[in-house]
Amino acid sequence: MNKTVDQFLTLFSRSPDLIVASPGRINLIGEHTDYNLGYVLPAAIDKGFFFAFGRRDDLSCRIHALDLDDMCSFELTRFEKSDKNWVVLIQGVLDQCIRSNLMPAGFDCVFSSSIPIGSGLSSSTALDCGILKGMVALNDWQLDRWDLVNLSNRANNEYLGVQGGILDQFAIVFGKKDHSMLLDCRSRKYQYQSFTHDEIEWVVVDSGVRHNHLESGYNDRASECAQLVELVNRKYEEVKSLRDLTGHMLDDMAVKIPGALSRRGRFIISENQRVLDFVEAMKNADFQLMGALLKQSHLGLKNGYEVSCFEMDTLVSLADSHKDVYGARMVGGGFGGCIIILVKKRSTLDLIRMIEEKYERITGIRPNCFSISFGHGLRIIDKH
Ligand code: GLA
């Protein structure tokens, strides 16, 4: 945080008015279920973005991305879509505010991050939620947490063109220290699940393979799910999303449903059930069962939903080969990014050493491994 504030002072010759922290997120289980109106189990993590904001009297914004050593400036009344990824993310959320009749005043901003962009920890949503929180606080807008989730989600869908669900926004905005959250994406009801156990640790490994959901197969999967709903709905009118799908319906309509669509549907049905089973296992501190569910989820993402890749499969197999690992799986949209591992705490260092050495030998990529804990959600650290 200090380096962000120092840079703000250097660049703008004044102190910031507002400091915001926006965390990354992990999803323990329930992948690709959000836009299918199923269950997810995310948590905010103790890593993410810091923003220093200063008000301006005009309608300009000047934003400095400290880690990229890059700067952008534009007028809020008219801006062209930038060709830089990080700027487009910010423009998307500002555009969404303006379309919703929320016209922000101009601002100066410096931000920095402890999570790499495109690594599957939802760095892009952490960036746009941080900007959004800054706009709300600087302009005294009366918005609740769901308003922030919806604004950021619409920015993602409309400005960026990614047909994403609400997993990332929800986790970042609603995150609570030492808790994960079971969310029903259809009813939007959620429950905090407290989870602190000294004998286990969550380790994240970044495969180093970067993805961009516009170019990955992410939107293809969302379209396939929509096609499957349409097909099944011809016979079963009650099916409005894959949340309503059952294995029996897929069996019954087997001749009419292409194999790939059927695999996507079966994955979603089983992944939703795994989320509920995982929550029970967490309540009972049944680490073996939690691990088994993580493994099943990864297999489903690899073979049924087909969103894994060689590097992530390699990381998961290496993790699973360690005697003190309960289970591991890829996290997020897929096609690169991170895996999460549940491991006995006493073996964390040994596990990391083994993965670093073997993964680099196999793929030529040095993986980034770190432990995480469940951290605070989006929040204001300081305001003048
Ligand atoms: C990305 C999307 C989320 C969700 C996950 C997969 O992170 O932004 O909405 O679909 O992929 O679970």
Side-chain angles (χ1 to χ4, degrees), residues 25 27 30-35 122 125 156 164-168 213 218 332-333:
R25 67 99 186 89
N27 189 21
E31 221 62 90
H32 289 271
T33 44
D34 62 346
Y35 54 86
S122 208
T125 308
N156 202 27
I166 56 169
L167 166 70
D168 306 342
H213 288 325
Y218 186 91

Side-chain angles (χ1 to χ4, degrees), residues 3-183:
K3 60 177 187 173
T4 312
V5 173
D6 289 348
Q7 179 70 2
F8 190 95
L9 286 167
T10 312
L11 269 180
F12 303 120
S13 312
R14 50 168 296 208
S15 311
D17 299 311
L18 176 72
I19 309 290
V20 167
S22 185
R25 67 99 186 89
I26 195 81
N27 189 21
L28 298 182
I29 199 157
E31 221 62 90
H32 289 271
T33 44
D34 62 346
Y35 54 86
N36 288 306
L37 303 188
Y39 299 107
V40 290
L41 187 67
I45 59 171
D46 56 344
K47 294 188 168 23
F49 286 69
F50 280 111
F51 298 80
F53 288 98
R55 294 186 186 84
R56 291 177 59 94
D57 297 331
D58 55 16
L59 286 169
S60 311
C61 31
R62 297 182 295 179
I63 308 169
H64 181 73
L66 186 57
D67 314 296
L68 303 173
D69 191 20
D70 199 5
M71 177 105 190
C72 75
S73 54
F74 52 86
E75 293 295 306
L76 285 163
T77 38
R78 59 190 146 82
F79 50 84
E80 303 263 296
K81 208 173 196 169
S82 165
D83 51 9
K84 292 179 186 165
N85 261 346
W86 70 271
V87 182
V88 173
L89 290 168
I90 295 174
Q91 289 180 329
V93 87
L94 293 171
D95 169 75
Q96 201 48 241
C97 292
I98 296 167
R99 282 161 185 262
S100 313
N101 293 323
L102 295 163
M103 186 67 205
F107 63 94
D108 292 330
C109 173
V110 174
F111 71 86
S112 66
S113 162
S114 53
I115 45 174
I117 300 225
S119 65
L121 299 175
S122 208
S123 47
S124 2
T125 308
L127 172 57
D128 70 36
C129 285
I131 293 286
L132 200 48
K133 186 81 179 170
M135 295 306 97
V136 171
L138 289 181
N139 297 285
D140 291 321
W141 293 338
Q142 300 304 310
L143 299 181
D144 69 16
R145 294 195 287 181
W146 281 115
D147 293 328
L148 300 191
V149 169
N150 294 334
L151 274 167
S152 161
N153 185 240
R154 285 206 301 270
N156 202 27
N157 291 1
E158 291 171 19
Y159 206 76
L160 301 181
V162 178
Q163 300 166 38
I166 56 169
L167 166 70
D168 306 342
Q169 291 83 2
F170 169 79
I172 289 165
V173 172
F174 283 79
K176 182 168 164 183
K177 191 163 171 41
D178 295 331
H179 289 74
S180 64
M181 299 165 284
L182 169 63
L183 170 69

Side-chain angles (χ1 to χ4, degrees), residues 81-293:
K81 208 173 196 169
S82 165
D83 51 9
K84 292 179 186 165
N85 261 346
W86 70 271
V87 182
V88 173
L89 290 168
I90 295 174
Q91 289 180 329
V93 87
L94 293 171
D95 169 75
Q96 201 48 241
C97 292
I98 296 167
R99 282 161 185 262
S100 313
N101 293 323
L102 295 163
M103 186 67 205
F107 63 94
D108 292 330
C109 173
V110 174
F111 71 86
S112 66
S113 162
S114 53
I115 45 174
I117 300 225
S119 65
L121 299 175
S122 208
S123 47
S124 2
T125 308
L127 172 57
D128 70 36
C129 285
I131 293 286
L132 200 48
K133 186 81 179 170
M135 295 306 97
V136 171
L138 289 181
N139 297 285
D140 291 321
W141 293 338
Q142 300 304 310
L143 299 181
D144 69 16
R145 294 195 287 181
W146 281 115
D147 293 328
L148 300 191
V149 169
N150 294 334
L151 274 167
S152 161
N153 185 240
R154 285 206 301 270
N156 202 27
N157 291 1
E158 291 171 19
Y159 206 76
L160 301 181
V162 178
Q163 300 166 38
I166 56 169
L167 166 70
D168 306 342
Q169 291 83 2
F170 169 79
I172 289 165
V173 172
F174 283 79
K176 182 168 164 183
K177 191 163 171 41
D178 295 331
H179 289 74
S180 64
M181 299 165 284
L182 169 63
L183 170 69
D184 176 339
C185 296
R186 181 165 63 184
S187 66
R188 295 203 167 187
K189 289 205 174 105
Y190 59 95
Q191 284 165 25
Y192 286 102
Q193 310 288 331
S194 149
F195 189 77
T196 42
H197 289 277
D198 287 343
E199 64 273 42
I200 60 105
E201 191 137 45
W202 299 101
V203 172
V204 166
V205 184
D206 180 359
S207 65
V209 179
R210 291 285 166 266
H211 60 221
N212 165 344
H213 288 325
L214 256 192
E215 287 148 20
S216 73
Y218 186 91
N219 278 349
D220 297 339
R221 290 296 172 278
S223 308
E224 285 174 339
C225 291
Q227 274 173 47
L228 180 55
V229 169
E230 205 210 301
L231 273 175
V232 178
N233 178 272
R234 290 184 195 162
K235 175 148 189 202
Y236 294 95
E237 282 176 16
E238 66 273 30
V239 175
K240 306 277 187 254
S241 71
L242 290 192
R243 171 69 176 276
D244 307 317
L245 184 72
T246 64
H248 166 77
M249 293 172 185
L250 286 176
D251 293 341
D252 182 33
M253 297 185 69
V255 282
K256 300 213 171 77
I257 298 177
L261 294 196
S262 176
R263 287 200 295 283
R264 310 295 182 247
R266 287 193 199 277
F267 168 77
I268 296 296
I269 296 168
S270 61
E271 185 75 350
N272 276 327
Q273 186 57 47
R274 275 190 288 273
V275 177
L276 302 178
D277 295 345
F278 198 90
V279 170
E280 283 311 301
M282 276 173 99
K283 286 182 187 156
N284 300 326
D286 186 343
F287 306 133
Q288 297 289 354
L289 179 55
M290 289 165 68
L293 291 163

